[in-house]
Amino acid sequence: MLGMVAQRLGWAVFTMVIIALAVFLGLEAMPGDACTVHLGRGASDAALATCRARLNLSDPALYRFFTWAQHLLTEFDLGNSVQRGKPITEIVSWRLRNTIILAGTATALGVPLAIVLGVLTGIYRDSVLDVSVSAFSMFLMTIPEFISGTLLIFIFAIGLGWTSGIVTLSYKAPFWDMMVVSFLPAVTLSFILVAHIARMTRASMIEAMQSDFVLMARLKNVPRRQIIWRHALPNALLPTISVIGLTVAWLLGGVVIVESVFNYPGLGRLAVNAVSDQDLPLVQAIALLFGAIYTLVNLSADLLSITLNPKLRGQRQ
Amino acid sequence: MSAALISLRVLGPAGLIGLSICLLHLGFALLGPVFVLSDPAAQNAQVMLKAPSVAHWFGTDRLGRDMFARTILGGREAMFIATLSTFFAMLWGGILGVFLGLVGRWPDAVLMRVIDAMMSIPWVLMVMLFIAIFGTGMASLIPVLSFSYGLSVVYLARAATLSFVAEDFIWAAKARGHSPLHIVTTELLPNVQTSLAVQGAMQWSWIFLGVSSLSFLGMGVMPPTPDWGQMIADGRGVMQLAPWVVFWPMLALSSLVIGVNLFVDALARNFGIDRALPLQKYIAT
């Protein structure tokens, strides 16, 4: 088991190095750099030279990568924004908190609902509940976030007047205020989450209910309730953990769009602004952060399923 | 495969509804310019935010543009971009995936780890990174979308190849001394073409949604070309006064993606392919 944990840790580190290399050196291979992007095509040579000197772009790429990585690892320094003239770490930290609040609320709302729906539809397969849930989740999976978000604003903010549709808080607003306004965006985000996880839980619940050990339990005349809760469910939930980890990739992609729909002051909207401001170092840093979040969440999901799986717990490999 | 397509009965009612929606959209996209006579970009300050009427069937937006013309023509460019990007994504992803599946060993191990890592950056951010450098427009959108969506095609093509490399007919072809290229084209492709077609259709609907989302963010299809995502972004501020400004593009976009999904679901069920394939590779391991 320790070997497996070490392997997963190693993979996570390797993935982060690859992401950093791809984001950093991939852009080196492209024509232009942060300064040509920032200053535009008509920039004078003198302005370009000053900008490059400011960002130390004249050093060799590999050297810059290592100094940049060293700053990142030793003092959490992601470099400076071209447009905003401030350290990226300072710009990013508050928004990272806000995005984590949003994604956390979406997960807290979505995952329990998805598991309950998946288990119920898996047990009562082909029932009215199952058919309507799967039809509805296909609908939720196909509708893009900017449409479902706009619809929610239309219904709950304009129609019913329960909330203000657009977030007007500053990015430094206190935690609880942020939690409150993150509700509607989080509901939008959780749609896709619920649809995917419920579908996967349903499939693994069906598989567990058809397994030999459930048949054995039924032959022993174990009560149905106990079969479902004690025998089938723990086995069905194990693969769901890694699916939840992977659905976070969808969640993070959705964050960019949902934050723009609701004007929510998080990393996603910052990325959109950074693209329109042509602030390349900032976009790079955000891409890296999203990759890191994804890797960390998947690492935790992997480690959790290793610890929860009795088959792996005993293995010495 | 063509035989399966001819008998529409196998699609079932949901699949037939999906197919009809797709054909309807295809018809509008191809014939739209023939019967939409008004200019979708023409602004008219006299008729700003007017409700649907005889003169403007779908009403007008905040610049007095005719919503009917804009809605009918609003999917064309995104569909075109999605079609070309799907083609290139399937092409490079398919070739690389089959190659890695056949060759195996270290190129496979190394490249799959790299692709794994690349896929952990959400596609929106990867696309935005490229757009920050190259700017928007078809010439940068198509390569960028082909690249980022092709990553998952590599997985699928590799998995499909791996499920066949150990089969007897592949061994037989190798024993007959056929070249790898010949084995791929005559032995492998006929076996995976249906699943490729279903995956291609799914990729198309994802890329189409991707283009629309980018247009919504102001990075996809740029004005004056009308686009549904862009129309929704544009009309959101006035939807309290004029709900039709967002209603029509929402209806058009949602019906198209739902239509494609119903049709692809029916096809996948008919061919016995699990549509949730991209996630399957994780569950298998």
Side-chain angles (χ1 to χ4, degrees), chain A residues 19 27 142 246 261 290 294, chain B residues 120 125 132-133 236 261 279 282:
Chain A
I19 296 172
L27 293 184
T142 42
L246 290 158
V261 172
F290 273 80
Y294 175 82
Chain B
S120 61
L125 273 167
I133 304 169
R236 251 164 19 101
N261 273 278
L279 269 179
Y282 301 109

Side-chain angles (χ1 to χ4, degrees), chain B:
Chain B
M1 181 182 172
S2 53
L5 279 180
I6 289 165
S7 61
L8 290 172
R9 205 175 298 155
V10 297
L11 288 177
L16 281 179
I17 293 173
L19 180 63
S20 336
I21 297 175
C22 293
L23 289 177
L24 192 72
H25 269 288
L26 190 66
F28 278 132
L30 292 177
L31 302 175
V34 180
F35 63 85
V36 174
L37 298 173
S38 49
D39 178 5
Q43 303 179 4
N44 184 352
Q46 310 277 315
V47 289
M48 288 190 309
L49 295 176
K50 287 281 184 275
S53 64
V54 181
H56 299 285
W57 291 357
F58 285 8
T60 56
D61 70 0
R62 65 185 175 87
L63 296 171
R65 293 174 292 194
D66 181 38
M67 287 300 293
F68 179 71
R70 292 175 70 72
T71 306
I72 295 294
L73 300 175
R76 285 166 54 89
E77 182 138 325
M79 286 188 213
F80 180 73
I81 294 175
T83 309
L84 277 187
S85 309
T86 309
F87 174 75
F88 289 121
M90 296 295 287
L91 193 69
W92 86 261
I95 291 176
L96 184 60
V98 169
F99 172 78
L100 291 179
L102 284 180
V103 172
R105 289 198 297 272
W106 69 265
D108 183 47
V110 171
L111 270 176
M112 287 322 281
R113 287 310 299 170
V114 172
I115 287 172
D116 232 6
M118 301 284 274
M119 281 173 81
S120 61
I121 304 174
W123 70 269
V124 207
L125 273 167
M126 199 191 287
V127 171
M128 278 163 60
L129 208 58
F130 284 96
I131 287 176
I133 304 169
F134 295 113
T136 52
M138 236 189 268
S140 69
L141 280 178
I142 292 174
V144 167
L145 291 167
S146 316
F147 174 73
S148 57
Y149 282 87
L151 293 173
S152 60
V153 180
V154 177
Y155 259 112
L156 299 170
R158 178 175 169 275
T161 311
L162 283 180
S163 65
F164 284 109
V165 277
E167 293 277 342
D168 288 344
F169 62 87
I170 301 277
W171 282 106
K174 275 184 189 162
R176 286 198 301 273
H178 286 308
S179 69
L181 186 68
H182 183 90
I183 294 177
V184 168
T185 50
T186 59
E187 309 287 341
L188 202 60
L189 278 185
N191 281 300
V192 296
Q193 66 176 11
T194 47
S195 107
L196 272 185
V198 169
Q199 280 309 322
M202 277 323 294
Q203 288 286 336
W204 188 88
S205 87
W206 287 327
I207 297 180
F208 177 77
L209 280 183
V211 179
S212 303
S213 302
L214 286 174
S215 302
F216 177 83
L217 296 176
M219 300 174 191
V221 179
M222 299 307 262
T225 314
D227 177 90
W228 295 329
Q230 182 205 100
M231 284 157 77
I232 294 170
D234 198 52
R236 251 164 19 101
V238 293
M239 68 180 171
Q240 194 162 6
L241 301 167
W244 55 87
V245 178
V246 290
F247 174 76
W248 297 113
M250 275 189 184
L251 181 72
L253 211 163
S254 314
S255 66
L256 176 57
V257 278
I258 289 176
V260 173
N261 273 278
L262 285 175
F263 178 54
V264 173
D265 261 354
L267 271 187
R269 213 174 306 124
N270 186 39
F271 293 136
I273 304 162
D274 186 2
R275 213 197 59 168
L277 209 61
L279 269 179
Q280 221 171 33
K281 61 139 185 140
Y282 301 109
I283 295 158
T285 51

Side-chain angles (χ1 to χ4, degrees), chain A residues 107-120:
Chain A
T107 317
L109 288 174
V111 170
L113 178 67
I115 289 178
V116 169
L117 281 180
V119 168
L120 285 179

Side-chain angles (χ1 to χ4, degrees), chain A residues 175-195:
Chain A
F175 181 80
W176 283 110
D177 294 357
M178 227 14 129
M179 278 289 276
V180 173
V181 295
S182 75
F183 184 72
L184 211 53
V187 170
T188 315
L189 264 183
S190 66
F191 279 170
I192 293 189
L193 193 81
V194 170

